[in-house]
C-alpha cells in the first residue's frame, strides 16, 4: 500500500535521509526502531507528507503523494504527531469531530455519517463516558486515546503514529498498544509507528524497520530483526535475549555497551 522510492529528505540544507527505499506491508502493524536522531521520525513525517522530499517519491496505492490533493490523502491516511496539542476549552467529542473535516463540504456541517463515525470512534476507544469532558481534565493516557479516536473518526485505511506511548506509564502504554492491535485485527488498519521500546515493537508488530544514520540497517519480522548482530549495529549494545511468553517473539532481557570487535 505504501511505497518509498529512493527518497532524499532533510531540514533546509541538512540531509537526514539521502537515498532510502522501502515498502510498508498493507493491513499490518509496522514499527520503525533505531537510536535517537537516526531518522525514524523523519521517515514517518515523509510518509505523512509533513516533510517534502527533495528527490524520490512516496506512493500510496501506486499514486504519488506529491501529485495527490491533500484532502484526498486525508481520506486515506490519518496522522498522530509526537506532541499533539488541542485548543483550550474543547470537549472530547468536539476534538474527535475534527477528524471528519476531510469528509465535510465547504460549509463544514456535520452529516449523519459524520455523527455515526464520531460515535463509533468514542465507542471503540472506550471514551463514551468522557464525551462531554474537557480535554484538559483527562489523564495523559486518556488524552492519547482521544487523539487516536480523532484519527479513527477520519475513517482512513492507514494510521501514522509518532511515538504514541511517550510520557505514558506502563499500564497506559499497554492500553494504547492493545488498542492499535485490536484496530489492526478487527478493522484491517495499516498502522505505521515509531517506538523507542524495542520489546514493545517486537511484541506488537508484524514488521520492523531498523534505522541508523538515515539508512535502513535491516527490516523484516521480529525474529529476523531482533538478533545480537542487528541490535549491536543499530544501538551499539550487546543484547541478551529471552522469548516473550505472550507473542513468542524475541525480547531484549538486558544489555550492556558493546565492546568493539567481532560479534561472538
Amino acid at each position: 500500500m505504501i511505497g518509498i522510492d529512493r527518497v532524499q529528505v532533510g531540514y533546509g540544507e541538512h540531509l537526514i535521509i539521502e537515498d532510502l527505499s522501502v515498502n510498508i506491508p498493507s493491513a499490518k502493524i509496522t514499527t520503525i526502531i533505531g537510536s535517537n536522531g537516526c531518522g525514524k521520525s523523519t521517515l514517518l513525517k515523509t510518509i505523512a507528507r509533513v516533510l517534502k522530499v527533495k528527490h524520490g517519491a512516496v506512493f500510496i496505492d501506486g499514486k504519488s503523494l506529491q501529485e495527490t490533493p491533500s484532502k484526498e490523502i486525508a481520506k486515506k491516511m490519518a496522522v498522530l504527531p509526537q506532541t499533539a496539542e488541542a485548543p483550550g476549552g474543547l470537549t472530547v467529542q468536539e476534538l474527535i469531530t475534527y477528524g471528519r473535516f476531510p469528509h465535510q463540504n465547504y460549509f463544514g456541517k456535520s452529516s449523519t455519517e459524520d455523527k455515526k463515525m464520531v460515535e463509533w470512534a468514542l465507542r471503540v476507544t472506550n471514551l463514551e463516558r468522557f464525551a462531554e469532558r474537557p480535554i484538559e481534565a483527562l489523564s495523559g493516557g486518556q488524552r492519547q486515546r482521544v487523539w487516536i479516536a480523532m484519527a479513527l473518526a477520519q475513517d482512513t485505511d492507514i494510521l501514522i503514529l509518532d511515538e504514541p506511548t511517550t510520557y505514558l506509564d506502563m499500564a497506559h502504554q499497554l492500553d494504547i498498544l492493545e488498542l492499535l492491535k485490536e484496530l489492526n485485527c478487527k478493522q484491517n488498519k495499516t498502522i505505521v509507528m515509531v517506538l523507542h521500546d524495542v520489546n514493545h515493537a517486537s511484541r506488537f508488530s508484524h514488521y520492523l524497520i531498523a534505522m541508523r544514520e538515515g539508512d535502513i540497517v535491516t527490516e523484516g519480522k521480529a525474529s529476523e530483526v531482533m538478533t545480537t548482530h542487528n541490535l549491536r549495529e543499530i544501538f551499539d549494545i550487546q543484547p541478551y535475549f529471552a522469548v516473550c511468553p505472550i507473542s513468542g517473539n524475541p525480547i531484549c532481557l538486558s544489555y550492556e555497551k558493546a565492546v568493539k570487535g567481532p560479534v561472538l
Side-chain angles (χ1 to χ4, degrees), residues 2 7 13 24 42 45 84 88 93 101 112 169 174 181 194 247 257:
I2 303 173
V7 298
E13 297 300 316
I24 307 292
T42 299
K45 290 175 182 176
Q93 184 163 310
F101 175 75
T112 301
D169 61 37
L174 196 58
K181 181 180 177 181
V194 166
S247 68
K257 289 288 291 182

Side-chain angles (χ1 to χ4, degrees), residues 53-263:
V53 298
K54 297 177 183 295
H55 295 289
V58 179
F59 299 91
I60 293 183
D61 295 336
K63 291 184 179 180
S64 169
L65 285 190
Q66 294 95 313
E67 300 170 4
T68 305
S70 296
K71 199 160 187 177
E72 186 177 334
I73 292 173
K75 292 178 181 179
K76 293 176 176 285
M77 179 169 61
V79 180
L80 180 61
Q82 189 177 124
T83 52
E85 292 290 337
L90 284 183
T91 66
V92 168
Q93 184 163 310
E94 286 170 340
L95 181 59
I96 294 171
T97 301
Y98 281 11
R100 296 302 299 165
F101 175 75
H103 303 276
Q104 293 173 344
N105 59 28
Y106 179 79
F107 298 101
K109 187 176 180 180
S110 293
S111 66
T112 301
E113 180 64 20
D114 293 332
K115 292 174 183 177
K116 284 182 179 179
M117 287 304 303
V118 170
E119 290 171 0
W120 171 79
L122 281 164
R123 185 170 64 255
V124 298
T125 53
N126 198 27
L127 289 169
E128 289 174 295
R129 66 186 185 279
F130 301 110
E132 301 303 324
R133 190 171 297 186
I135 299 296
E136 54 265 31
L138 302 180
S139 69
Q142 289 165 343
R143 290 186 195 189
Q144 196 72 320
R145 278 183 173 267
V146 176
W147 287 108
I148 292 174
M150 187 183 77
L152 292 180
Q154 198 170 323
D155 192 22
T156 64
D157 291 329
I158 304 168
L159 291 177
I160 307 289
L161 306 104
D162 194 355
E163 299 184 28
T165 58
T166 299
Y167 307 126
L168 301 182
D169 61 37
M170 295 173 72
H172 284 112
Q173 288 179 32
L174 196 58
D175 282 345
I176 296 300
L177 293 169
E178 291 283 8
L179 171 60
L180 295 175
K181 181 180 177 181
E182 184 176 353
L183 291 170
N184 169 257
C185 291
K186 293 185 177 180
Q187 306 293 330
N188 287 322
K189 301 288 186 185
T190 298
I191 296 173
V192 188
M193 61 182 171
V194 166
L195 289 179
H196 273 298
D197 190 320
V198 295
N199 289 337
H200 280 162
S202 177
R203 174 177 168 182
F204 288 97
S205 308
H206 300 102
Y207 202 78
L208 298 179
I209 297 172
M211 295 185 66
R212 178 163 183 160
E213 296 179 358
D215 290 322
I216 294 177
V217 175
T218 187
E219 58 182 296
K221 299 176 184 176
S223 57
E224 298 166 338
V225 173
M226 293 282 286
T227 68
T228 299
H229 177 270
N230 287 337
L231 291 200
R232 184 164 177 159
E233 285 290 311
I234 300 161
F235 297 107
D236 289 326
I237 62 170
Q238 178 69 36
Y240 301 95
F241 289 103
V243 175
C244 175
I246 301 169
S247 68
N249 290 335
I251 55 173
C252 183
L253 185 63
S254 190
Y255 62 93
E256 55 191 351
K257 289 288 291 182
V259 177
K260 299 297 182 181
V263 178

Side-chain angles (χ1 to χ4, degrees), residues 9-21:
V9 65
Y11 302 88
E13 297 300 316
H14 179 56
L15 291 180
I16 304 296
I17 296 172
E18 295 192 24
D19 184 10
L20 187 149
S21 298

